[in-house]
Amino acid sequence: MRVYYSFLIVIFSLLLSANAMAMMANELTVGLLKTDSTAEKKYLSLLQQVYPNHKITVQRSDNAPALLEQLITYDIDLILPWQPYIYKNVLQSFNSVSATEKVIVSYSSNLEFNQTTDMKKFKFGMVGDVDTQNIKGLDDNVVQVSSFQAGLSLVNKKQLDGIIHYVSDAKTTENNLSQLALLPAKNNVVAFSKTIIGRQLKEQFDASLNRQSDPVIQDQRPPFTIYLSGKTSDDNYDLTHYTSLILSSMGGYNISLEWMNNATEYFNSAGANNSCVMTMLKTPERLQKFDFSESINLTLGQRLYSLTPISSPEPISLTTLINQSVDLRLGFGATRSYGDKLDDEISNLLFKNKMAYDSSHQVLLKHFANKKFELLITYPYDFMHFDVQEKMYSYEVQNSPKFIEGYLMCGRSNLSNQFLKQFDHALTELTQYKQFFDSQLQYLPKSEYTLFAKYFKQIYK
């Protein structure tokens, strides 16, 4: 009898657990990035259409990384609206929940705006859910307006200088207002946790929206694959703001991002003809088989750093400098290649003028800051996560390029050629935006901004 009752208790417990799980399966916890009330209602209405039998609980936040952490730890089921990223623990909808439009400022014709204008001097009205975080100078000088007409009325009353909004074309709006394109907008999607439930929710979301023509605009753009080099699919890696900015300029294509885990295997594959790779260097061997875009990024080359000023003219010859100042010592990475010519110079230095370290860049920088040696050759971006308290002096060094250009490398086919032509056209327009310049500064210490600007002007005239 006791066994019988124990059996009933187990069955009853299982039924309770099943009911609880069923209830949980019908609950949806949504991380909602804060936006205006109109857009929020649209997103929640969309979710209710897709998941009509679910109880939707909302967690509002303006902190995307915080929501992402909750998604990865499965505390929430999805994030909306989301902009496409690559994360190993995150699934993303194939459907866009917003049309591709440009962020425009419409302003009084008596004002003069260009891409270098200091936006802080003016006051703007913003219509709808416009992502302005990458437009420098917009902060307290932006107020929300209910519509373009409401903003126009305030501009006419000289209470506002302009209206920031999305438009799908470049036609002049009303009253002969002038327009300036600030940024190409990104398509918003939905991010799901990479769990069984998250995968089911994603499949249901995409399948539901693929059957609807309203309110979601179906993506009819031709597909194209771009490979990311230097990473593996196991990396918890997201597109940088700079890379996202470039890819968002190709609004005419539905771009699929893949990993190029094995470069040699990719170069020899048939698929290489109908795809492109970011960000690649030009080499004679690659030029024989692939076509390249205009420069898509600029990296400062290796420079010679010293804790005391050097009076020699630039570019400085390392050999000549040390021969003239015999007490100087160069610290260098024993397993690091500085380029064939510099490697030869370093190997020919006297033993007393060099100190080799078989350790990380950060350890080398620490020893430099602690004055274990006087000279260091490294890339400026190596200093990004290391604060050197001592004043440093940097110089151009012989036998090392001043800067390095990265390119989009594409296979030779009609599809790739057509994509590359449009990419170069979009890139030319994008380089006129101050945001394109600013997005590359995040890889440099502030001490090198002026030098970077000098080379940037040479490349993007």
Side-chain angles (χ1 to χ4, degrees):
M1 184 65 69
R2 288 179 180 176
V3 172
Y4 175 74
Y5 281 120
S6 298
F7 177 74
L8 286 179
I9 291 171
V10 169
I11 294 296
F12 184 65
S13 299
L14 288 173
L15 287 173
L16 284 176
S17 298
N19 286 333
M21 291 181 67
M23 289 177 64
M24 289 177 63
N26 287 324
E27 292 181 1
L28 199 64
T29 306
V30 178
L32 186 64
L33 284 166
K34 285 185 179 177
T35 181
D36 67 280
S37 59
T38 302
E40 182 175 304
K41 288 178 182 177
K42 169 193 167 187
Y43 293 139
L44 294 179
S45 173
L46 175 63
L47 287 179
Q48 204 66 70
Q49 290 179 49
V50 176
Y51 307 109
N53 299 319
H54 285 68
K55 175 187 175 183
I56 297 177
T57 303
V58 177
Q59 291 187 21
R60 293 173 178 82
S61 175
D62 54 4
N63 189 331
L67 286 181
L68 180 64
E69 186 174 343
Q70 286 184 276
L71 187 74
I72 291 174
T73 55
Y74 318 134
D75 293 326
I76 58 177
D77 299 300
L78 59 89
I79 303 175
L80 180 75
W82 190 247
Q83 292 173 351
Y85 287 86
I86 298 176
Y87 283 103
K88 68 176 182 180
N89 293 324
V90 178
L91 296 164
Q92 296 173 80
S93 166
F94 291 123
N95 284 276
S96 169
V97 293
S98 66
T100 302
E101 298 172 313
K102 284 186 177 179
V103 180
I104 298 287
V105 57
S106 298
Y107 55 93
S108 303
S109 53
N110 62 324
L111 296 176
E112 291 187 4
F113 280 95
N114 57 49
Q115 297 301 338
T116 60
T117 297
D118 183 2
M119 296 294 191
K120 293 179 182 178
K121 300 177 181 178
F122 304 95
K123 189 168 185 179
F124 300 99
M126 187 169 70
V127 182
D129 178 24
V130 180
D131 180 10
T132 60
Q133 69 180 67
N134 295 323
I135 304 171
K136 295 197 74 173
L138 295 185
D139 192 6
D140 297 333
N141 55 342
V142 176
V143 297
Q144 195 77 39
V145 292
S146 59
S147 65
F148 182 85
Q149 289 298 329
L152 180 62
S153 174
L154 294 174
V155 169
N156 291 335
K157 294 176 182 178
K158 297 184 179 180
Q159 295 177 16
L160 291 176
D161 296 302
I163 314 164
I164 296 174
H165 56 110
Y166 284 134
V167 296
S168 55
D169 57 48
K171 294 179 181 178
T172 303
T173 52
E174 298 186 32
N175 283 9
N176 294 318
L177 287 181
S178 299
Q179 289 188 329
L180 177 70
L182 297 175
L183 280 176
K186 301 172 187 175
N187 284 341
N188 286 327
V189 295
V190 182
F192 299 87
S193 60
K194 191 173 279 189
T195 61
I196 293 177
I197 292 177
R199 195 176 300 277
Q200 291 173 344
L201 290 173
K202 177 187 180 302
E203 290 173 355
Q204 185 177 346
F205 184 87
D206 285 330
S208 175
L209 295 191
N210 282 329
R211 293 193 297 268
Q212 299 177 14
S213 57
D214 182 46
V216 176
I217 300 173
Q218 297 300 312
D219 198 341
Q220 301 296 327
R221 298 172 298 172
F224 192 82
T225 302
I226 289 182
Y227 287 87
L228 299 172
S229 61
K231 291 283 181 180
T232 69
S233 56
D234 291 331
D235 286 331
N236 189 10
Y237 177 69
D238 65 297
L239 287 180
T240 62
H241 164 55
Y242 157 74
T243 310
S244 298
L245 192 61
I246 287 186
L247 295 184
S248 68
S249 66
M250 289 300 292
Y253 286 85
N254 181 12
I255 296 175
S256 173
L257 296 168
E258 302 289 345
W259 301 102
M260 190 182 73
N261 294 334
N262 187 315
T264 302
E265 185 177 295
Y266 168 79
F267 291 150
N268 296 326
S269 70
N273 292 331
N274 293 309
S275 62
C276 299
V277 185
M278 294 182 66
T279 305
M280 302 296 285
L281 302 179
K282 285 183 182 179
T283 65
E285 295 76 20
R286 291 172 183 172
L287 284 167
Q288 291 179 8
K289 187 175 180 181
F290 297 93
D291 293 323
F292 289 80
S293 69
E294 300 295 328
S295 299
I296 60 175
N297 78 322
L298 182 68
T299 303
L300 290 183
Q302 296 176 123
R303 295 182 61 79
L304 177 66
Y305 288 88
S306 171
L307 295 176
T308 57
I310 298 174
S311 59
S312 302
E314 297 183 71
I316 291 176
S317 165
L318 180 63
T319 303
T320 302
L321 175 65
I322 291 182
N323 285 342
Q324 292 174 347
S325 305
V326 294
D327 293 331
L328 290 177
R329 293 165 301 174
L330 173 76
F332 68 99
T335 58
R336 180 173 181 172
S337 174
Y338 295 83
D340 292 342
K341 292 184 178 180
L342 269 178
D343 286 344
D344 288 341
E345 275 197 274
I346 293 172
S347 65
N348 290 326
L349 293 177
L350 295 177
F351 180 76
K352 70 183 184 70
N353 293 123
K354 58 186 178 183
M355 300 179 68
Y357 292 88
D358 187 10
S359 52
S360 68
H361 299 330
Q362 293 300 303
V363 172
L364 200 61
L365 294 176
K366 183 178 179 180
H367 289 324
F368 177 56
N370 290 333
K371 301 182 180 181
K372 294 291 182 66
F373 46 84
E374 293 75 37
L375 301 174
L376 175 68
I377 296 175
T378 194
Y379 290 98
Y381 61 70
D382 286 338
F383 288 98
M384 284 301 293
H385 302 294
F386 187 85
D387 184 20
V388 179
Q389 299 297 323
E390 298 287 336
K391 181 173 176 57
M392 292 188 308
Y393 302 86
S394 75
Y395 302 91
E396 182 186 339
V397 62
Q398 284 186 15
N399 296 323
S400 187
K402 299 177 184 178
F403 53 84
I404 302 167
E405 296 174 72
Y407 304 88
L408 185 74
M409 185 184 79
C410 299
R412 288 176 178 164
S413 68
N414 290 335
L415 178 64
S416 293
N417 289 343
Q418 185 62 32
F419 180 87
L420 189 57
K421 287 179 182 177
Q422 293 192 30
F423 182 88
D424 276 342
H425 178 73
L427 181 63
T428 300
E429 288 190 342
L430 189 60
T431 58
Q432 305 306 308
Y433 290 97
K434 189 173 185 296
Q435 286 76 18
F436 180 77
F437 172 82
D438 290 343
S439 68
Q440 300 190 50
L441 294 181
Q442 61 184 297
Y443 308 106
L444 289 172
K446 291 183 179 180
S447 59
E448 303 292 3
Y449 282 7
T450 302
L451 182 66
F452 179 82
K454 172 187 171 182
Y455 296 144
F456 187 90
K457 289 178 182 178
Q458 291 180 22
I459 300 300
Y460 303 107
K461 298 178 181 178

